[in-house]
Structures are given as structure tokens and as C-alpha cells.
């Protein structure tokens, strides 16, 4: 009994002391007054009602984001959906001509033809493959060199085969080179080169061709098809370089750079000539012109399409995320958009010279030792520069 009383006394004392301390602290910090005065009201709501963007690409992306939002995954449960967000009306994987764009893009009729061609097939991500090399990666290469080319560029491809794209063992690493082609359409007044192309393909077995019109705005289609191709035909390649057929690439420098990377660094690798804080050009005459009716905003950081280097795991992540990013008519910007969506960012490497180097350094063999890529170079220049690199007695500082 006595023990219980002592315990009770202790509890009561502790409680009284606690209450006293609380009041003391509350007094000093002003907790007991001014609660009402200090409530701050938000001047605007912390969420905002989604309104449709006037840029057609942005609008498509808003709808895609809505469709892919896991919280809103059960669309049928979302009542009162505004018409423009009604995803059941939009198909993002259709190769039917999408004639809705004619009325939905306000200045459609006055847009340059290439925009009309692009917008009508903006939802088409698949074209049949015409020429494939299903076994080219049977022994998975360390480095896959994928060169964006076009049917008529026979000399560029041959120069690349004889120089920086020489497949096989380079610096004790396995290298495989492929050329990515669409079709040179008769409608674009191309001569019929199909017989020569199939001869070339049989001879070299390095051509990949899909059945779509090879045009500047369709380079994004080439990118998406290539990402698919890597996953089906060459998932074992450790690293992938993708670039144009008018660049010189120092393959040795790439291999040296890759050899020096840590494991974590190489897993997330995406390097090139990175362009930041860029946005669409609004002057009609520029090749990269994009009207406001198509895109509003700034571009995420992206690596210039002349050439960039990335790892197998980044390739897989780009492949997985790409269906969630609406096709954009400029391929390197599109890849930047996909990287950003995947939570990745391209890293700048000063060895990628997509805007060329100063004139006075161009004919100095030593210049090319430390570079990874230079744009542009002719087929003859590629062969010349490669022979410089291959000189064992080249004495550079
Ligand atoms: C989706 O919503 C419908 C209609 O409200 C409901 O019957 C269904 O169970 C929901 N499905 C899931 C997976 O939540
Ligand atoms: C969405 O569009 C479809 C097809 O036009 C229509 O059947 C459906 O009722 C619409 N849903 C909503 C929530 O407006
Ligand atoms: C060449 O590469 C193989 C396998 O990657 C390695 O085992 C070998 O040691 C290398 N040889 C030289 C000379 O570096
Ligand atoms: C892209 O290719 C498809 C299929 O050949 C074609 O219908 C479309 O017009 C092309 N787009 C552009 C912008 O050339
Ligand atoms: C120094 C060097 O890289 N030499 C190479 C030049 O090219 C020939 C033929 O491809 C190679 O056998 C040499 O190893």
C-alpha cells in the first residue's frame, strides 16, 4: 500500500512539473497567444486545374502524362473528365493518318509541308523492317557503332567501314558497325537505288533498313525503331555510339574513355556535346524552326545528334520510357526529352566537337588524338584522319 502511494506521489509530481514546464515554454514562445493572427492564407491554390496547352505537342504530352499517371490509372473512375483529356478518344500507337490534326492545329494549313507530313503520322512508332542483320550481335560486342545514313550515301558508308567504323577487334575490344536507313522514296525524286543497296547489304551485311520515308523530321522514327532494334537484336552490347555519317569518330579514344570509367558511371553513361537552355527556333527559314502552334517551352538538356555515346542500361531505359514521350520532329531533342522523363541527364564531354574545331587545327594530326568526334568530315577526310591516328610514330605532346 505504502509503495503504491509513493508511486502515485511520484507520478503526480512529474505531471505537475511537466505541465509547469509546458506553460513556461509556451509563454516564452508565444504558443498561448496569436494562433489566429499568425495563420497565413495561401494567395493561390497549391494545385491548379489542368488546362489544355495551345502547343499541339504539349497537349499530346499532357494527355500521355494523364494516361500514364499511376494515381489516375483507372480512367473510368474519373468523372467529369474534360473533353480534351478524354484519353479514350486518342490512340498513341496508331499508324492511321491522323486527320484530326488538320482541325486541331490552328495554323495547320499555313505550316510548311514537312510539318503536315510529321503531324499526320505523329502517333506512328512502328514501321516494318526491310533489311535486318539478325545475327550481327551473336557475339555481343563491347561497342556498337550505329550510323544514321541514307540510301544514296554509299561513299560515306564505305569510308566509315575503311576508317573509324572498321568492325572487329579494335584496341582489343569487339566493335560492330551498322548503318540505319529508311527509304529514299521515288516521290521525293530519288533515283531507284534499291538494287545497289541490296548488293551492298549482301556484301557487307551491316545495313538495317525500315520501310518509312527517310526525311529530317522522320529521324525521330529512326531513333525509336533503333531503340527497339537494340532490345531485340543487340541487347548484349555494352556500349552504343549513335551518330551521323558525316562525322569523324576516334574509335580508339572512345575505347580509352570507356576503359577509364567506374562501374556506376558506365551504367548511367550518356555523353556527347550537350546543349542546355535551348528552345525552339521561331524563324521560319531555319532548319530547326518549330512554330508556337506545335511546341511551347524550353528543351531539356540534350546531346547534339551528330553523335553520342551511351550504355546498354541507358538504352533499355530509353526504350522503356519512349512510349510515354510524344514524338517530336527533332530527333536529338526527342532523345533529351526521353532522358529527362527517365530521370537522367546527358553529360557533356569536350571531346565531342559537333560544331567543328578551329580552322588552323584541322590539318594537324595531333588534334585528333585527343578528340572523340568531329563534325563535319567528308569521306576522304575520314580516311586521311584515320591514317594519321594509325601512325605509330605520331609524336604528339
Ligand atoms: C475502376 O473503376 C471502376 C468503376 O468505378 C470499378 O468498378 C473498378 O473496380 C476500378 N478498378 C480498379 C482496378 O480500381
Ligand atoms: C470519352 O469519349 C468516349 C468516346 O467518344 C465516350 O464514349 C465517353 O463517354 C467519354 N468519357 C468521358 C468521361 O467523357
Ligand atoms: C584482351 O581482352 C581480353 C578479354 O577482354 C583479355 O582477357 C586480355 O587480357 C586482353 N589482352 C590485352 C593484351 O590487353
Ligand atoms: C515519315 O514516314 C512516313 C512513312 O513513310 C510518311 O508517311 C511520313 O510522311 C513521313 N514523315 C515525314 C515528316 O517525312
Ligand atoms: C598503330 C596502329 O594502330 N596500327 C594499326 C594500323 O592499321 C593496321 C591495319 O588495320 C593494323 O594492323 C595496325 O595495328
Amino acid at each position: 500500500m505504502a509503495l503504491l502511494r509513493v508511486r502515485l506521489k511520484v507520478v503526480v509530481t512529474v505531471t505537475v512539473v511537466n505541465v509547469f514546464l509546458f506553460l513556461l515554454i509556451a509563454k516564452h514562445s508565444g504558443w498561448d497567444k496569436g494562433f489566429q493572427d499568425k495563420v497565413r492564407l495561401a494567395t493561390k491554390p497549391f494545385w491548379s486545374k489542368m488546362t489544355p496547352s495551345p502547343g499541339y505537342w504539349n497537349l499530346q504530352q499532357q494527355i500521355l502524362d494523364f494516361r500514364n499517371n499511376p494515381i489516375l490509372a483507372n480512367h473510368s473512375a474519373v468523372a467529369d473528365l474534360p473533353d480534351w483529356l478524354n484519353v479514350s478518344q486518342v490512340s498513341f500507337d496508331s499508324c492511321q493518318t491522323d486527320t484530326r490534326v488538320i482541325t486541331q492545329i490552328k495554323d495547320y494549313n499555313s505550316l510548311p509541308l514537312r510539318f503536315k507530313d510529321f503531324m499526320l503520322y505523329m502517333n506512328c512508332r512502328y514501321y516494318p523492317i526491310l533489311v535486318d542483320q539478325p545475327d550481327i550481335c551473336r557475339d555481343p560486342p563491347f561497342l556498337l557503332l550505329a550510323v544514321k545514313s541514307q540510301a544514296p550515301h554509299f561513299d560515306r558508308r564505305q569510308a566509315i567501314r575503311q576508317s573509324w567504323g572498321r568492325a572487329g577487334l579494335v584496341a582489343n575490344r569487339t566493335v560492330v558497325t551498322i548503318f540505319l536507313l529508311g527509304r529514299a522514296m521515288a516521290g521525293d525524286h530519288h533515283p531507284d537505288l534499291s538494287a545497289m543497296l541490296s548488293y551492298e547489304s549482301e556484301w557487307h551485311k551491316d545495313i538495317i533498313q525500315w520501310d518509312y520515308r527517310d526525311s529530317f523530321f522522320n529521324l525521330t522514327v529512326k531513333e525509336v525503331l533503333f531503340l527497339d532494334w537494340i532490345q531485340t537484336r543487340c541487347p548484349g552490347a555494352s556500349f552504343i555510339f549513335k551518330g551521323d555519317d558525316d562525322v569523324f569518330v576516334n574509335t580508339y579514344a572512345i575505347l580509352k574513355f570507356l576503359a577509364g570509367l567506374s562501374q556506376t558511371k558506365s551504367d548511367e553513361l550518356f555523353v556527347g556535346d550537350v546543349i542546355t537552355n535551348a528552345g525552339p527556333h521561331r524563324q521560319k527559314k531555319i532548319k530547326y524552326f518549330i512554330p508556337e502552334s506545335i511546341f511551347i517551352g524550353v528543351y531539356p538538356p540534350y546531346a547534339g545528334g551528330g553523335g553520342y555515346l551511351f550504355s546498354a542500361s541507358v538504352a533499355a531505359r530509353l526504350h522503356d520510357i519512349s512510349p510515354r514521350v510524344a514524338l517530336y520532329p527533332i530527333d536529338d531533342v526527342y532523345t533529351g526529352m526521353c532522358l529527362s522523363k527517365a530521370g537522367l541527364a546527358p553529360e557533356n564531354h569536350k571531346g565531342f566537337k559537333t560544331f567543328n574545331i578551329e580552322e588552323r587545327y584541322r590539318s594537324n594530326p595531333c588534334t585528333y588524338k585527343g578528340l572523340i568526334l568531329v563534325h563535319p568530315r567528308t569521306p576522304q577526310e575520314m580516311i586521311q584522319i584515320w591514317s594519321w591516328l594509325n601512325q605509330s610514330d605520331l609524336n604528339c605532346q
Side-chain angles (χ1 to χ4, degrees), residues 243-254:
D244 284 330
D245 62 2
D246 62 348
V247 298
F248 179 82
V249 175
N250 183 343
T251 317
Y252 301 120
I254 289 189

Side-chain angles (χ1 to χ4, degrees), residues 166 252 390-392:
R166 188 183 294 244
Y252 301 120
N390 198 352
Q391 278 167 28
S392 49

Side-chain angles (χ1 to χ4, degrees), residues 73-95:
N74 194 352
H75 304 303
S76 60
V78 181
D80 301 329
L81 214 54
D83 262 359
W84 67 275
L85 256 186
N86 187 347
V87 290
S88 57
Q89 295 178 345
V90 188
S91 169
F92 285 95
D93 46 14
S94 161
C95 289

Side-chain angles (χ1 to χ4, degrees), residues 146 261 263 267 326:
L261 293 180
Q263 185 61 45
D267 276 351

